[in-house]
Amino acid sequence: MRKFLLLLLLLFCCTPLFSQDTAFKYKGMTINLDEVVVKAKRIGFDVAGFIKRVEEDTTFYRAFKNLRLVGFTADNDIRVTDKKGGKTIASLKSHTRQIMTGNCRKMEVIDEKTTGNFYTKKGDYNYYTAELYANLFFTHGTVCGDEGGSSKGSLARHKNQLKQLIFNPGKPITGVPIVGNKVAIFDRDLMKYYDFSITSEAYTGTDCYVFSATMRKNLNSIDRAEIVINELITYFDKETMEIVGRKYSLSYKTMIFDFNVRMNVQMTKKDDLLLPALITYSGTWNVPLKKRETADFTAKFTEFKSEQ
C-alpha cells in the first residue's frame, strides 16, 4: 500500500512539471513541444536557438535559386483544370535537361506533349501558372548568371514578388499591397493567430525536428482577414539542421482578387548546394483582368551535375 501511495504521489507531482516543459515561451510566442523534443531539451537541445534558426532561415528560397547553378534533368507536369479542379482543359508534360557551361546555362527539350490551349497561336504561354513555372524552371536560349532571364520592369518585379510569396513564406514582401506584411508569421501582431509546435518525425527516411505554424481554429472573419499563411510545416534534419522538406498552404480573399495555394517541397543536396528534388503545387488564382485559373503541377529534378 505504501508503494502504491508513493507511486500516486510521484505521478501527481511530476505531471504538472512535465506539462510546463511542453510549453516553451519565445518572444511572446508559445511553442508546444512533444515528448521527444522535451527529452532532447533536457539533454541540451537549444529550443530558442532552433526557433531563431527557423525565423531567420533563407536557405529554402536560396535552394530554388541554386537551380541556376547546376545542370539537371527535369520531369515537368502542368495541368490547368476547370473551376472545380476535375476536368483538365490544358496540359503540358515534358522532359528537359539543363546544361551548364561555366556561369551560363541552356535547356534542351527531350520530349514534350501538350493538350488544349496550353500555348497561344504565337507560341506564348496561355496561362499565368505555366508562365510562372517556365520563369522558374525553364531557360530559353543561353542565360548567364543566377537570374531568370532578360525580362525587366514591373512584370519582372511582380514575378519576383510572387516567387518570394510562394517560395519564401513567413517573410514580409516589400512592395506588395494588402498581403505583403500579412505573411510575416513571426511578427508580434500576427503570431497570436497561430498555434506553434516543435515535434520529432521521420520525413522521407530522415529523422527530423518539425516546426509547425498552423492557423488557429475558429478565428472570426476580421482576424482571418489579417493572415495569408494557413499552415507552414518545415522539416529539419536532426544531424545537420538543414531543411529537407516543407509543406504549406496560402490563401487570401478580397473583393478584387483571391488565391488558394498548397505546396509540398522535398529537398536534396548536390555537393554543398541545397536543391529542390520534388515540388507539388495545387492552386487557384483570381486576379483583375484575367479569368480564374486553377492548376496543378509536379516538378521532379534528378541527375544534378556541375558545369561541363
Side-chain angles (χ1 to χ4, degrees):
M1 180 61 71
R2 288 181 179 178
K3 291 182 178 180
F4 180 71
L5 291 174
L6 179 60
L7 179 60
L8 286 177
L9 180 63
L10 287 172
L11 286 173
F12 280 116
C13 288
C14 294
T15 299
L17 292 176
F18 183 78
S19 297
Q20 291 174 3
D21 277 349
T22 61
F24 186 85
K25 301 291 185 179
Y26 177 82
K27 293 184 178 180
M29 185 191 314
T30 299
I31 300 96
N32 296 313
L33 314 178
D34 72 359
E35 293 183 21
V36 175
V37 176
V38 169
K39 290 178 181 178
K41 175 175 174 286
R42 289 172 178 168
I43 60 174
F45 176 57
D46 183 3
V47 177
F50 177 76
I51 299 169
K52 185 177 181 181
R53 184 184 186 92
V54 175
E55 186 178 5
E56 297 178 352
D57 178 75
T58 59
T59 59
F60 188 75
Y61 182 52
R62 182 66 228 180
F64 288 89
K65 294 177 73 67
N66 286 342
L67 286 174
R68 312 289 190 190
L69 307 178
V70 296
F72 58 81
T73 299
D75 293 341
N76 313 288
D77 188 348
I78 308 171
R79 293 189 310 114
V80 182
T81 64
D82 58 16
K83 293 180 180 180
K84 296 181 179 180
K87 182 180 178 181
T88 299
I89 58 178
S91 69
L92 174 144
K93 285 189 176 183
S94 73
H95 294 85
T96 55
R97 181 183 295 115
Q98 178 165 287
I99 300 171
M100 297 297 300
T101 303
N103 193 38
C104 300
R105 66 188 186 277
K106 65 179 181 179
M107 186 186 77
E108 293 181 351
V109 179
I110 302 170
D111 59 71
E112 178 180 294
K113 181 180 179 180
T114 64
T115 65
N117 60 343
F118 191 85
Y119 291 115
T120 66
K121 292 181 179 180
K122 294 182 179 181
D124 298 325
Y125 295 105
N126 212 11
Y127 296 93
Y128 196 75
T129 304
E131 188 177 356
L132 175 63
Y133 187 100
N135 186 261
L136 286 166
F137 306 127
F138 292 164
T139 300
H140 298 283
T142 298
V143 179
C144 299
D146 69 346
E147 297 305 317
S150 59
S151 57
K152 298 179 181 180
S154 60
L155 179 60
R157 185 175 69 253
H158 292 325
K159 285 182 179 179
N160 185 59
Q161 291 167 342
L162 184 56
K163 283 186 284 185
Q164 289 185 59
L165 173 64
I166 294 176
F167 297 119
N168 202 22
K171 305 288 185 180
I173 304 171
T174 58
V176 180
I178 304 177
V179 302
N181 291 322
K182 296 180 185 293
V183 296
I185 61 174
F186 296 106
D187 186 280
R188 287 184 178 273
D189 292 332
L190 291 182
M191 65 175 62
K192 61 185 178 182
Y193 301 124
Y194 292 92
D195 290 322
F196 297 94
S197 68
I198 302 174
T199 58
S200 178
E201 183 181 331
Y203 179 80
T204 62
T206 302
D207 199 13
C208 295
Y209 287 121
V210 185
F211 183 87
S212 301
T214 305
M215 180 182 66
R216 290 184 174 175
K217 297 178 180 179
N218 302 321
L219 290 180
N220 60 46
S221 58
I222 296 176
D223 290 341
R224 181 64 185 87
E226 293 300 315
I227 62 177
V228 170
I229 296 177
N230 304 321
E231 182 180 64
L232 177 61
I233 303 174
T234 308
Y235 300 82
F236 291 84
D237 185 320
K238 284 186 179 180
E239 291 188 3
T240 64
M241 286 299 171
E242 291 180 325
I243 293 179
V244 295
R246 177 170 279 172
K247 299 177 182 178
Y248 47 105
S249 168
L250 314 173
S251 67
Y252 200 71
K253 185 175 183 179
T254 70
M255 295 292 291
I256 302 174
F257 69 93
D258 66 83
F259 60 84
N260 192 331
V261 171
R262 297 188 67 88
M263 294 195 69
N264 181 7
V265 182
Q266 295 177 15
M267 311 300 282
T268 188
K269 289 196 73 175
K270 167 62 178 175
D271 300 326
D272 293 330
L273 287 180
L274 189 67
L275 296 155
L278 173 67
I279 307 167
T280 61
Y281 164 99
S282 179
T284 181
W285 294 83
N286 184 26
V287 297
L289 305 180
K290 287 183 175 289
K291 294 181 179 180
R292 174 174 294 280
E293 186 170 306
T294 302
D296 301 329
F297 72 67
T298 299
K300 296 180 181 179
F301 304 98
T302 57
E303 301 178 13
F304 294 104
K305 297 179 180 180
S306 302
E307 68 174 89
Q308 296 186 355

